[in-house]
């Protein structure tokens, strides 16, 4: 009976990882499209240098291969929760700035915000599967940005979208790592174990 439960959990984890990889790929594609549209609509050069966005963990990580599965999931979840807040701020600013003048950009931002929210929920499901519920969102909000001028808000938006595209790549990579069977065994490693 325990073997059947373990097998069922392994299949569920693999299914969640596979679906998460597809979601991350779709999200990255949509974010890259949005990034081009955003830069064009905002009158920015898409290759402009942008400072790191406060409140968003960088997708690049040293010693990635030494992280446990749980560490990967928790970092991903923290990032996507931050992106959810940042994209909501961007959407609000966009609507204030342009009103209905550019409904297409607002719709694209709203669609990516929805994907980010769904992906965060997906990560929470993976953490629940490991009998480790997701951490509370209290105190998880990125700091409110200081009052920025219009140009600085545009650059911050560009930075948020760039980093989100990088996170989508990292998330797919993390989920592929989590879905791999462990060496010398036919079972998938626990998310709490090192890969």
């Amino acid at each position: 009976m325990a073997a059947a439960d373990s097998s069922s959990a392994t299949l569920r984890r693999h299914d969640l990882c596979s679906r998460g990889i597809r979601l991350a790929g779709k999200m990255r594609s949509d974010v890259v499209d949005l990034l081009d549209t955003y830069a064009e609509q905002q009158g920015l050069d898409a290759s402009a240098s942008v400072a790191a966005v406060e409140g968003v963990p960088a997708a690049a990580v040293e010693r990635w291969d030494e992280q446990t599965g749980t560490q990967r999931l928790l970092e991903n979840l923290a990032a996507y929760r931050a992106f959810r807040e940042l994209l909501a701020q961007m959407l609000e600013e966009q609507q204030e700035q342009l009103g209905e003048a550019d409904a297409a950009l607002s719709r694209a931002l709203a669609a990516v915000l929805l994907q980010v929210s769904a992906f965060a929920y997906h990560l929470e499901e993976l953490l629940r599967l490991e009998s480790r519920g997701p951490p509370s969102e209290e105190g998880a909000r990125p700091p409110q940005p200081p009052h920025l001028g219009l140009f600085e808000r545009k650059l911050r938006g560009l930075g948020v979208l760039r980093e989100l595209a990088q996170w989508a790549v990292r998330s797919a990579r993390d989920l592929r790592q989590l879905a791999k069977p462990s060496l010398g065994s036919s079972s998938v490693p626990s998310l709490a174990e090192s890969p």
Side-chain angles (χ1 to χ4, degrees):
M1 182 80 169
D5 289 345
S6 174
S7 177
S8 174
T10 299
L11 289 173
R12 174 92 172 117
R13 183 181 314 112
H14 190 271
D15 179 56
L16 284 171
C17 287
S18 295
R19 283 192 290 144
I21 292 165
R22 288 191 302 274
L23 286 170
K26 169 81 169 101
M27 183 171 31
R28 181 177 188 288
S29 174
D30 290 352
V31 170
V32 168
D33 290 344
L34 175 57
L35 190 54
D36 292 340
T37 302
Y38 182 85
E40 182 181 319
Q41 290 288 332
Q42 300 296 339
L44 299 171
D45 179 356
S47 63
S49 178
V50 179
V53 178
E54 189 175 339
V56 177
V61 65
E62 291 183 28
R63 299 187 177 131
W64 176 85
D65 57 335
E66 295 176 11
Q67 287 188 312
T68 66
T70 299
Q71 286 172 322
R72 292 168 199 255
L73 287 174
L74 290 171
E75 284 185 6
N76 272 269
L77 182 57
Y80 286 99
R81 284 177 171 175
F83 282 123
R84 186 172 52 206
E85 296 300 320
L86 290 165
L87 288 168
Q89 289 171 5
M90 284 176 63
L91 184 59
E92 185 177 318
E93 291 168 0
Q94 189 69 28
Q95 290 169 339
E96 289 172 5
Q97 176 188 343
L98 298 175
E100 294 301 314
D102 190 12
L105 184 56
S106 291
R107 281 193 306 272
L109 271 169
V112 168
L113 175 58
L114 186 60
Q115 289 176 339
V116 165
S117 295
F119 197 76
Y121 177 78
H122 196 82
L123 294 168
E124 291 170 359
E125 284 298 306
L126 274 164
L127 283 165
R128 277 188 203 93
L129 185 64
E130 288 301 308
S131 299
R132 170 153 173 59
S136 137
E137 289 193 56
E138 286 182 27
R141 295 179 182 258
Q144 282 286 24
H147 181 69
L148 300 173
L150 181 59
F151 185 69
E152 288 83 13
R153 286 194 313 240
K154 290 178 179 184
L155 285 178
R156 181 176 54 101
L158 188 66
V160 166
L161 294 175
R162 277 189 189 157
E163 197 61 33
L164 178 54
Q166 290 302 313
W167 266 101
V169 171
R170 175 176 168 189
S171 297
R173 184 178 176 202
D174 285 343
L175 292 174
R176 279 188 194 94
Q177 187 70 28
L178 292 171
K180 282 183 182 176
S182 62
L183 299 175
S185 167
S186 62
S187 67
V188 173
S190 166
L191 294 178
E193 296 173 9
S194 290

